[in-house]
Every structure is written in structure tokens, then in C-alpha cells.
Amino acid sequence: HRAPIPGGLVMRITGTPPVAAAIQRMVGMHAMMLGEGDTLVAAAVKIPGGMRLTVTAHDTSNTRLVNRIRGLGFIGLMTEGEHHQMHHLMVARGGMMMMH
């Protein structure tokens, strides 16, 4: 489920119990990474079966960025950032996430 909100997008990502645990680890970590700069504001909250991810533009009047957030959606936003795909796999499996 996804819905536009002022300045961005809110998404609900859920799955069966084993998948939900991976969702909670991966989405929680990625939300922190998305919010590290001064471009995006990201918040992840545990919900039954997964996470609710809210991503907005820091400058909500930046319509180009707001449209990019909405266009990327969950999968696209998961590709944002300067970390490896392997780190996503490690987090999903419950391993430590090492930063270079």
C-alpha cells in the first residue's frame, strides 16, 4: 500500500512472519540512511507484519523532488544511497551492516 502525502509518500510494507522480520530490519536501517543527508526526511515505524515508511522532501516546496519520491516508490527508494546491495542482503538476514 502506498499513498501520496504532502511533500512525499507513505508506504506500508508487510509480509508473512519471516518476511516481516526482514522487512523490519531492512526498512528500519534504510530509513536512517535516507534521512542522513539534507534532501530527504525518512521515518520507519513497526506495524503488524512489517513497517510503515514515510519519505518526504526536506524542502516540501521542491515539487521535482516530491514527484521523484512518489515516482520511485518503495522499490526505487530502496535503491537510493551509496551503500552496497550486499549490505541489504546482510541486514535482511539479520547480520551486521558494515559501512566503508
Side-chain angles (χ1 to χ4, degrees), residues 47-66:
I47 60 172
M51 295 289 269
R52 182 177 60 242
L53 176 63
T54 304
V55 180
T56 58
H58 188 273
D59 174 5
T60 58
S61 68
N62 181 340
T63 56
R64 183 175 178 175
L65 181 56
V66 171

Side-chain angles (χ1 to χ4, degrees), residues 16-82:
T16 60
V19 174
I23 289 168
Q24 290 171 344
R25 289 187 300 268
M26 194 157 42
V27 173
M29 292 296 292
H30 202 79
M32 287 189 298
M33 296 186 85
L34 283 172
E36 282 183 349
D38 60 355
T39 305
L40 300 176
V41 176
V45 176
K46 284 186 181 182
I47 60 172
M51 295 289 269
R52 182 177 60 242
L53 176 63
T54 304
V55 180
T56 58
H58 188 273
D59 174 5
T60 58
S61 68
N62 181 340
T63 56
R64 183 175 178 175
L65 181 56
V66 171
N67 289 335
R68 178 171 161 64
I69 293 166
R70 292 175 180 164
L72 285 171
F74 174 69
I75 298 299
L77 288 165
M78 288 293 103
T79 68
E80 294 289 285
E82 297 181 7

